[in-house]
């Protein structure tokens, strides 16, 4: 301890300040490293929640005493507890995302609840349940449903309900097909609501899948892709993966046609009804004679029977109704029918080993190509009358080296290491090591420079006597390096450590005699010892 105090006192003010600052920097660096090591690794729990839903999640985390961090609209928790917290919060219905369903009806009581209040709560619960169902789609993050109902007023007739749905996707836009599914979902859940009366609006406020949109035209690209995959899969089973290239072109009918035909068969008659009518007529008359009063009497007493005549007529009619055989046919040809089919197949050549051991390629045999042609014809439904064409060629394919790097495993893959935290700890460790090795250690290990002993004046008759105990290593006084300039600046030392040239000290004159007097006045004890040594040596010589 004394040695450290002695070294500390020998340091100047400037070096003491440097040591204190470096020690403080090392302390704070080690403290930061320890805090980073013990601090939990925060990972994302939920993001993009509404304010009310995020507040419910934060309140639940505070009640559990879980450490969390809120950054903007995202909530971060410890990575070790994230999965458990998600399951626990999901069991409590969090995050609710602002949609409440039929549980709203549980809060209603029979006392003080009017029919209008019940209807409002019912439609609100219906909207919440529909929003939950829509959000269950992994491509939709948020949804709001608004239903304009007619209520339970029996006097309102001819008023149909309408609805609107606002959806927010996770990143991709909502397709018209998905909007159509949402419309049918809402229409099926509300009685009397038609899909045409449901409007779907995206996050940008645009109407998706409007009902007045025209139907897309039917093309042959989808059919060509299906046929191409079918032929490609069939050929690769024989020639190997990557050794066959297939292209299919399908010409389809783009116009629609409706044919209605009606035919009558006169030979095919069927009696459906029969009507027979019979009639008989009888007439009698008297011919000749005058017409008198007696001839007109009922008893005809006054008449004459010599000229009497009679007639009788019978008539029969039959009517039969027949149904003529009739054939009515209607043919509707929709767009999309295949008009013409073209298939082009390129097969790689086969590799053959020659007698010399070299690998060469050669075209495939004609028999093999013909067999492949038959397979392709059966797979695509070849029709020669329709004008279909199939072309198969055997040619060498250019090999292309695969791009990218091969995925491999390392030792770090088995550890759960946060790369950012590891980099931060490494930087702090390097800073701490630099402060320790290049600042504090050199300051403590640097030894102060000592002054050499003053040598006596040289005599002309002999060598200069040495005073015992006056070597450089045993001098009682210590002169700090900052108080003395370098030895070669104003004086030099000989091989034995004596001053061969006078030292120049700060504040002294250039005269050697004045400098010597100044040194004698400052170091009187050393001067007395030197003189005593000279006197004793002279006495021994006498």
């Amino acid at each position: 301890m004394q040695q450290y105090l002695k070294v500390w006192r020998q340091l100047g003010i400037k070096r003491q300040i440097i040591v204190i600052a470096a020690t403080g920097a090392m302390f704070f660096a080690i403290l930061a490293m320890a805090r980073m090591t013990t601090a939990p690794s925060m990972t994302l729990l939920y993001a993009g929640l509404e304010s009310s839903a995020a507040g419910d999640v934060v309140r639940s985390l505070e009640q559990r005493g879980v450490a969390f961090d809120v950054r903007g609209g995202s909530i971060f928790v410890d990575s070790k507890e994230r999965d458990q917290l998600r399951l626990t919060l999901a069991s409590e219905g969090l995050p609710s995302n602002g949609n409440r369903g039929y549980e709203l009806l549980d809060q209603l009581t029979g006392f003080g609840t009017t029919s209008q209040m019940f209807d409002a709560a019912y439609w609100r619960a219906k909207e919440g349940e529909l929003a939950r169902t829509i959000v269950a789609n992994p491509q939709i993050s948020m949804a709001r449903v608004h239903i304009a109902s007619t209520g339970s007023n029996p006097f309102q007739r001819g008023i149909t309900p309408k609805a609107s749905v606002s959806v927010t996707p996770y990143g991709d836009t909502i397709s018209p097909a998905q909007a159509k599914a949402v419309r049918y979902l809402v229409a099926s859940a509300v009685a009397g609501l038609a899909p045409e009366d449901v409007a779907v609006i995206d996050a940008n406020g645009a109407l998706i899948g409007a009902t007045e949109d025209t139907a897309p035209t039917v093309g042959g690209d989808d059919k060509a892709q299906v046929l191409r995959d079918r032929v490609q899969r069939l050929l690769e089973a024989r020639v190997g993966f990557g050794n066959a290239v297939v292209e299919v072109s399908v010409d389809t009918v783009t116009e629609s046609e409706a044919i209605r035909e009606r035919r009558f068969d006169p030979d095919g008659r069927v009696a459906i009804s029969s009507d027979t009518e019979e009639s008989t007529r009888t007439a009698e008359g008297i011919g000749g004679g005058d017409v008198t009063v007696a001839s007109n009497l009922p008893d005809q007493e006054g008449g004459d029977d010599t000229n009497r005549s009679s007639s009788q007529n019978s008539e029969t009619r039959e009517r039969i109704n027949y149904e003529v055989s009739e054939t009515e046919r209607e043919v509707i040809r929709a767009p999309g029918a295949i008009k013409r089919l073209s298939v082009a197949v390129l097969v790689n050549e086969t590799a053959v080993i020659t007698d010399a051991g070299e690998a060469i390629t050669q075209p495939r045999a004609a028999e093999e190509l013909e067999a492949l042609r038959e397979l392709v014809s059966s797979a695509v439904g070849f029709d020669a009358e329709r004008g279909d064409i199939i072309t198969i060629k055997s040619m060498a394919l250019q090999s292309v080296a695969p791009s990218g790097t091969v995925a491999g495993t390392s030792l770090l893959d088995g550890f759960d290491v946060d790369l950012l935290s590891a980099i931060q700890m490494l930087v702090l460790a390097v800073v701490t090591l630099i402060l320790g090795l290049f600042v504090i250690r050199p300051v403590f290990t640097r030894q102060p420079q000592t002054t050499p002993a003053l040598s006596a004046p040289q005599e002309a008759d002999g060598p200069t006597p040495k005073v015992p105990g006056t070597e450089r290593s045993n001098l009682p006084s210590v002169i700090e390096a900052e108080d003395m300039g370098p030895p070669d600046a104003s004086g030099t030392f000989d091989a034995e450590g004596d001053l061969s040239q006078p030292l120049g000290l700060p504040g002294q004159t250039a005269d050697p005699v004045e400098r010597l007097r100044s040194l004698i006045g400052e170091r009187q004890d050393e001067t007395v010892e030197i003189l005593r040594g000279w006197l004793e040596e002279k006495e021994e010589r006498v």
Side-chain angles (χ1 to χ4, degrees):
M1 188 66 183
Q2 296 295 331
Q3 182 69 22
Y4 287 109
L5 292 177
K6 182 178 180 181
V7 173
W8 177 258
R9 293 193 187 98
Q10 292 177 359
L11 297 177
I13 300 298
K14 190 185 303 180
R15 291 200 180 105
Q16 290 178 357
I17 294 174
I18 293 174
V19 170
I20 294 173
T23 304
M26 287 185 61
F27 174 76
F28 286 110
I30 296 174
L31 182 63
M33 290 180 60
R35 184 173 181 180
M36 289 179 58
T37 304
T38 57
S41 177
M42 308 300 284
T43 185
L44 179 64
L45 179 64
Y46 292 115
L49 299 178
E50 294 183 356
S51 300
S52 58
D56 295 339
V57 173
V58 170
R59 188 182 304 107
S60 179
L61 295 177
E62 289 178 349
Q63 293 175 357
R64 288 180 172 80
V66 178
F68 64 92
D69 187 12
V70 179
R71 304 173 189 174
S74 304
I75 302 175
F76 291 81
V77 295
D78 189 2
S79 59
K80 299 179 180 179
E81 301 179 357
R82 182 191 63 180
D83 298 336
Q84 182 179 359
L85 287 174
R86 283 183 177 177
L87 296 176
T88 305
L89 294 175
S91 64
E92 299 178 358
L94 296 177
S96 61
N97 206 14
N99 298 322
R100 302 182 66 183
Y102 288 126
E103 62 268 14
L104 291 174
L105 302 179
D106 299 336
Q107 301 175 2
L108 299 178
T109 59
F111 299 97
T113 302
T114 62
S115 60
Q116 290 81 4
M117 295 174 60
F118 180 80
D119 291 341
Y122 173 77
W123 289 111
R124 183 183 175 190
K126 178 75 73 173
E127 293 172 353
E129 291 294 333
L130 289 174
R132 286 179 177 178
T133 306
I134 296 173
V135 172
N137 189 340
Q139 297 181 358
I140 299 177
S141 61
M142 289 187 296
R144 296 290 298 272
V145 180
H146 302 279
I147 301 175
S149 63
T150 59
S152 59
N153 190 351
F155 299 100
Q156 292 181 348
R157 296 180 179 179
I159 300 177
T160 58
K162 297 182 182 296
S164 60
V165 182
S166 176
V167 293
T168 301
Y170 269 112
D172 299 336
T173 58
I174 303 298
S175 62
Q178 294 175 344
K180 183 179 179 181
V182 171
R183 286 200 302 271
Y184 275 90
L185 172 65
V186 177
S188 301
V190 180
L193 181 60
E196 295 77 12
D197 296 331
V198 180
V200 181
I201 303 172
D202 62 0
N204 298 325
L207 187 63
I208 308 174
T211 56
E212 63 270 10
D213 293 344
T214 58
T217 58
V218 179
D221 294 339
D222 296 338
K223 295 182 179 180
Q225 182 65 29
V226 172
L227 295 177
R228 178 185 177 277
D229 295 341
R230 189 181 302 173
V231 175
Q232 186 87 20
R233 184 168 55 252
L234 183 63
L235 292 178
E236 287 181 350
R238 165 60 183 169
V239 300
F241 179 79
N243 291 325
V245 180
V246 181
E247 292 295 336
V248 179
S249 177
V250 178
D251 296 337
T252 58
V253 178
T254 58
E255 66 275 1
S256 60
E257 182 181 4
I259 301 175
R260 187 173 183 180
E261 183 181 2
R262 187 177 183 182
R263 292 182 179 182
F264 295 93
D265 187 6
D267 299 332
R269 296 183 302 170
V270 178
I272 59 176
S273 64
S274 177
D275 186 11
T276 304
E277 182 181 353
E278 295 182 358
S279 61
T280 303
R281 295 180 183 181
T282 303
E284 293 181 359
I286 299 175
D290 298 332
V291 178
T292 62
V293 175
S295 62
N296 291 326
L297 292 177
D299 54 359
Q300 300 179 357
E301 293 179 355
D304 190 4
D305 295 338
T306 58
N307 296 326
R308 185 179 298 274
S309 63
S310 64
S311 65
Q312 185 177 0
N313 185 16
S314 298
E315 183 180 355
T316 302
R317 291 182 180 181
E318 184 179 4
R319 181 182 296 173
I320 301 175
N321 296 325
Y322 292 94
E323 184 70 25
V324 180
S325 177
E326 178 184 0
T327 302
E328 187 174 353
R329 186 179 63 172
E330 184 177 0
V331 179
I332 298 176
R333 296 178 180 176
I338 297 177
K339 185 189 304 182
R340 186 171 178 270
L341 183 65
S342 300
V343 181
V345 178
L346 179 60
V347 183
N348 193 13
E349 295 181 349
T350 58
V352 179
I353 305 298
T354 61
D355 297 338
E358 297 178 358
I360 61 174
T361 59
Q362 64 181 8
R364 296 181 181 271
E367 294 80 5
E368 184 179 1
L369 295 179
E370 186 63 26
L372 295 177
R373 181 187 297 275
E374 294 179 0
L375 292 175
V376 173
S377 300
S378 302
V380 300
F382 178 77
D383 188 359
E385 296 180 357
R386 195 171 52 190
D388 296 348
I389 299 176
I390 296 179
T391 304
I392 298 180
K393 297 292 183 181
S394 177
M395 303 175 66
L397 299 180
Q398 297 294 330
S399 60
V400 180
S403 60
T405 57
V406 179
T409 59
S410 61
L411 183 62
L412 297 178
D413 295 338
F415 300 94
D416 187 10
V417 179
D418 189 359
L419 183 59
L420 182 60
S421 301
I423 293 176
Q424 293 177 351
M425 294 179 60
L426 180 61
V427 171
L428 289 176
V430 171
V431 172
T432 305
L433 185 62
I434 291 175
L435 290 175
L437 293 180
F438 298 98
V439 178
I440 297 179
R441 186 175 179 275
V443 170
F444 279 103
T445 57
R446 185 173 180 179
Q447 297 294 335
Q449 297 180 2
T450 57
T451 57
L454 295 177
S455 58
Q458 296 182 0
E459 296 180 355
D461 54 350
T464 303
K466 296 290 182 178
V467 181
T470 59
E471 290 79 12
R472 290 181 59 188
S473 59
N474 297 325
L475 287 177
S477 62
V478 179
I479 302 176
E480 295 180 356
E482 63 269 20
D483 297 335
M484 178 184 293
D488 56 351
S490 57
T492 58
F493 299 99
D494 54 10
E496 296 179 357
D498 295 334
L499 184 65
S500 60
Q501 295 183 4
L503 287 170
L505 300 177
Q508 301 294 335
T509 60
D511 188 5
V513 177
E514 294 294 331
R515 288 200 298 270
L516 183 58
R517 290 177 180 177
S518 177
L519 289 174
I520 292 173
E522 292 176 0
R523 295 173 175 80
Q524 295 180 1
D525 297 337
E526 289 85 351
T527 305
V528 172
E529 293 293 334
I530 292 173
L531 293 176
R532 183 181 295 110
W534 287 349
L535 294 175
E536 291 176 355
E537 187 176 357
K538 288 182 179 180
E539 290 176 356
E540 290 175 359
R541 289 180 180 180
V542 176

